[in-house]
Each structure stands twice: as C-alpha cells, then as structure tokens.
C-alpha cells in the first residue's frame, strides 16, 4: 500500500512541498518493508528504485510529473530502436535507416 500511495501522490496534476514530503515518506516506508520481507534484495543497486527515491526533489523542482516523466528515456529508446543491427557482435552494422 505504501507504493500505491506514493504512485497516487506522484501522479497528481498538482504538487506541493507537503505532497513531495508525503511521497518521500511512503517510498521510504516501501523500501523498509521490502528490506524486511526480502533481506537479500538490494534496492540501491536498481537504477529505477534509486531514481524513485529522488522523485520528491524532482516534483519540487519541475512540478507535476505528468509534464516531464520519462521524456528523456522515451526519446533515447526511440532513437535506439531506429538503429540498424545485424545482431552479430564485432561485425559491421548496416547504417541504412537511421531516423535522426
């Protein structure tokens, strides 16, 4: 439920310092619960989890997340999917259809 509550707060169309603090509180509780349930799970080594713990600062800096979330990642993925590949390491890659 901690994760669900954090997602609800982060997905709102408005943001405030109080909402950012609540989001951080729920994410820290979620991490603590994960550690108790799965002692071998290392949440700090997971990039998305690490980013999620910094989201409260991003909400304060950039405003509601719906306006900026994943844009950079989606742009990069879009560019990478347009690269030609022959699925063979060390071989030349066909460069016939870049979409830049």
């Amino acid at each position: 439920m901690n994760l669900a509550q954090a997602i609800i707060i982060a997905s709102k169309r408005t943001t405030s310092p109080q909402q950012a603090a609540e989001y951080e509180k729920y994410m820290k509780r979620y991490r603590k619960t994960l550690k108790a349930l799965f002692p071998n799970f290392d949440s700090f080594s997971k990039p998305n989890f690490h980013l999620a713990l910094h989201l409260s600062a991003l909400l304060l800096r950039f405003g509601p997340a719906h306006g900026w979330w994943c844009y950079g990642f989606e742009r990069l993925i879009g560019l990478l999917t347009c690269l030609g590949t022959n699925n063979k390491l060390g071989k030349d890659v066909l460069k016939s259809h870049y979409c830049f």
Side-chain angles (χ1 to χ4, degrees):
M1 291 307 296
N2 289 314
L3 180 60
Q5 192 62 32
I7 291 170
I8 290 169
I9 292 169
S11 300
K12 289 186 176 186
R13 298 280 185 180
T14 60
T15 192
S16 69
Q18 179 185 0
Q19 287 175 328
E22 285 181 26
Y23 170 83
E24 188 170 343
K25 175 184 75 173
Y26 285 116
M27 284 305 295
K28 286 181 178 179
R29 280 187 192 171
Y30 174 62
R31 184 182 175 276
K32 188 176 181 180
T33 304
L34 273 180
K35 193 67 174 167
L37 293 174
F38 306 102
N40 295 329
F41 179 71
D42 181 19
S43 61
F44 283 118
S45 68
K46 311 295 184 211
N48 286 340
F49 199 93
H50 182 83
L51 176 64
L53 291 175
H54 291 290
L55 192 60
S56 59
L58 297 174
L59 289 170
L60 291 174
R61 177 174 266 186
F62 300 117
H66 75 276
W68 51 266
W69 61 20
C70 294
Y71 172 76
F73 294 113
E74 290 175 8
R75 174 83 174 134
L76 177 61
I77 290 168
L79 292 174
L80 292 174
T81 58
C82 292
L83 295 175
T85 178
N86 59 4
N87 294 322
K88 295 179 183 176
L89 295 175
K91 304 285 182 177
D92 288 335
V93 175
L94 294 175
K95 297 178 182 176
S96 61
H97 63 281
Y98 285 97
C99 56
F100 305 131

